[in-house]
Amino acid sequence: MHCFGALFVSSSLALAATASPAKSTLKAAASPRYFAAAIGYGHLTNKTDHLFREIAVAEYGGLTPENEMKWEITEPEQGVFNFTQAEIIVSFAEAHDYVIRGHTLVWYSQLAPWVTEIPESEVLSAMQNHITTAMTHFKGRIYAWDVVNEGFNDDGTFRDNVFLENIGEDYFEIAYQTARKADPRAKLYYNDYNTEGVNNKSDSVLSLVKSLKSKGLIDGVGFQSHFIVGSVPNDLQANLQRFVDAGVEVAITELDIRANTPVNASVIAQHAKDFAFVVNACQAVKKCVGITTWGITDSYSWIPSTFPGQGYGLLWDDSYEKKPAYYTTLTALRT
Ligand code: XIL
């Protein structure tokens, strides 16, 4: 009797487990899309924080190095490359069969200071050398590269930076040509923020994308999606779709949804709804290939230091408790 009971219990558990074994984590529920996070190498190697790594492995199927592939880290002095930090991240990602997003090659921020100090005539070759060396180092290991990051102002004009100033508007096309040559199998992305809805900025990005696409130089557009609770653009899905209609894939690349802290119950509920809304928008677009949250836990989020008084952007709080948004995200991913 006892034995039969035990057998019955264990076989029904086994049945329950096989009924939808794959849907109990974010990455499994998201499949065939990927569900990824920005990860810093310091958190991976932190011996006193086992939970970070455990959650990363259990719940996520991809990553973007949060800072480790930025120019100031990978080429701090002209011609002196250092991929040590990036390799820690990429090796971890490979060991866990992750999708890896390379972030980023041409960006005005977190740029090594020397790039703004060299003679004007050297900026073009410095840009090309940077792209070629970084992409060749990681050739065949990176799913997609953010070749240019944040190249537009909110009004849709080109953002002023050392590349625009010294190379001119052609820097976009040259950057993508160089990237295509360096690793022809990597997907080449343009990545930006405040482009998630239809507006002047996303209109300009779309024009650039159409022009690059007609030359076979771009494969995808990343929508950073650093949102504020209650302010996710209603036309997110329609906007993603118009990029897909232009012939590229799209991805949510840096998702977090912040609020003034401390948060109250209604903010927590809206935060949970907003995450589900973003997931649903991506899932409704056939070529929205994945979602990356900009971190895992609030304890390491960039938000409080960048937007003082704000936080609560991610799916785990700073005590590694899953938030309501974790559950709404999981549910939305499953449907
Ligand atoms: C942020 C990182 O999260 C911080 O650790 C760093 O100090 C600054 O950059 N858009 C981007 C990301 O493309 O690279 C930025 O990441 C957040 C905004």
Side-chain angles (χ1 to χ4, degrees), residues 105-120:
L105 296 164
V106 182
W107 189 27
Y108 75 92
S109 183
Q110 294 179 277
L111 184 62
W114 64 262
V115 185
T116 56
E117 289 155 11
I118 55 176
E120 187 175 324

Side-chain angles (χ1 to χ4, degrees), residues 78-137:
Q78 187 164 16
V80 180
F81 287 85
N82 186 341
F83 298 110
T84 316
Q85 292 182 10
E87 276 293 348
I88 293 172
I89 303 267
V90 171
S91 320
F92 168 81
E94 287 172 338
H96 297 284
D97 227 2
Y98 270 23
V99 169
I100 307 170
R101 301 197 75 264
H103 176 78
T104 180
L105 296 164
V106 182
W107 189 27
Y108 75 92
S109 183
Q110 294 179 277
L111 184 62
W114 64 262
V115 185
T116 56
E117 289 155 11
I118 55 176
E120 187 175 324
S121 61
E122 289 179 22
V123 173
L124 171 61
S125 59
M127 180 185 83
Q128 290 173 306
N129 188 46
H130 184 76
I131 294 170
T132 303
T133 308
M135 287 187 70
T136 303
H137 180 89

Side-chain angles (χ1 to χ4, degrees), residues 19-195:
S20 66
K23 298 267 185 169
S24 58
T25 61
L26 298 170
K27 67 175 167 188
S31 175
R33 291 180 175 80
Y34 64 81
F35 200 87
I39 287 187
Y41 87 105
H43 305 135
L44 279 182
T45 50
N46 182 349
K47 297 252 180 320
T48 62
D49 183 356
H50 298 289
L51 274 175
F52 180 85
R53 216 183 156 101
E54 274 171 40
I55 295 173
V57 170
E59 297 275 354
Y60 289 86
L63 64 73
T64 301
E66 187 169 358
N67 291 298
E68 292 76 359
M69 287 185 178
K70 292 173 180 174
W71 194 315
E72 65 179 4
I73 308 285
T74 56
E75 194 186 1
E77 290 168 54
Q78 187 164 16
V80 180
F81 287 85
N82 186 341
F83 298 110
T84 316
Q85 292 182 10
E87 276 293 348
I88 293 172
I89 303 267
V90 171
S91 320
F92 168 81
E94 287 172 338
H96 297 284
D97 227 2
Y98 270 23
V99 169
I100 307 170
R101 301 197 75 264
H103 176 78
T104 180
L105 296 164
V106 182
W107 189 27
Y108 75 92
S109 183
Q110 294 179 277
L111 184 62
W114 64 262
V115 185
T116 56
E117 289 155 11
I118 55 176
E120 187 175 324
S121 61
E122 289 179 22
V123 173
L124 171 61
S125 59
M127 180 185 83
Q128 290 173 306
N129 188 46
H130 184 76
I131 294 170
T132 303
T133 308
M135 287 187 70
T136 303
H137 180 89
F138 290 107
K139 193 168 179 170
R141 303 164 76 189
I142 306 293
Y143 168 70
W145 275 100
D146 292 331
V147 178
V148 179
N149 193 39
E150 303 181 350
F152 289 91
N153 297 310
D154 283 354
D155 66 2
T157 55
F158 290 121
R159 188 195 275 268
D160 191 22
N161 64 35
V162 66
F163 309 104
L164 184 71
E165 271 171 29
N166 296 310
I167 306 169
E169 295 172 13
D170 279 353
Y171 89 83
F172 287 95
E173 193 175 321
I174 298 169
Y176 285 84
Q177 264 166 1
T178 310
R180 186 62 97 209
K181 241 177 123 182
D183 186 354
R185 280 181 300 163
K187 304 250 184 211
L188 305 184
Y189 268 62
Y190 176 79
N191 192 56
D192 213 329
Y193 66 95
N194 286 354
T195 48

Side-chain angles (χ1 to χ4, degrees), residues 217-233:
L217 293 176
I218 194 164
D219 308 298
V221 178
F223 297 84
Q224 292 186 6
S225 306
H226 294 293
F227 293 130
I228 294 169
V229 169
S231 307
V232 178

Side-chain angles (χ1 to χ4, degrees), residues 196 227 230-238 240 252 255 257 269-284 291 325 328-329 332-333:
E196 296 84 5
F227 293 130
S231 307
V232 178
N234 273 320
D235 54 1
L236 173 62
Q237 181 188 325
L240 296 177
I252 303 292
L255 178 62
I257 309 183
Q270 187 62 47
H271 179 260
K273 275 191 194 160
D274 288 349
F275 260 94
F277 181 86
V278 175
V279 171
N280 288 332
C282 177
Q283 300 213 129
I291 297 174
T328 56
T329 297
L333 288 170

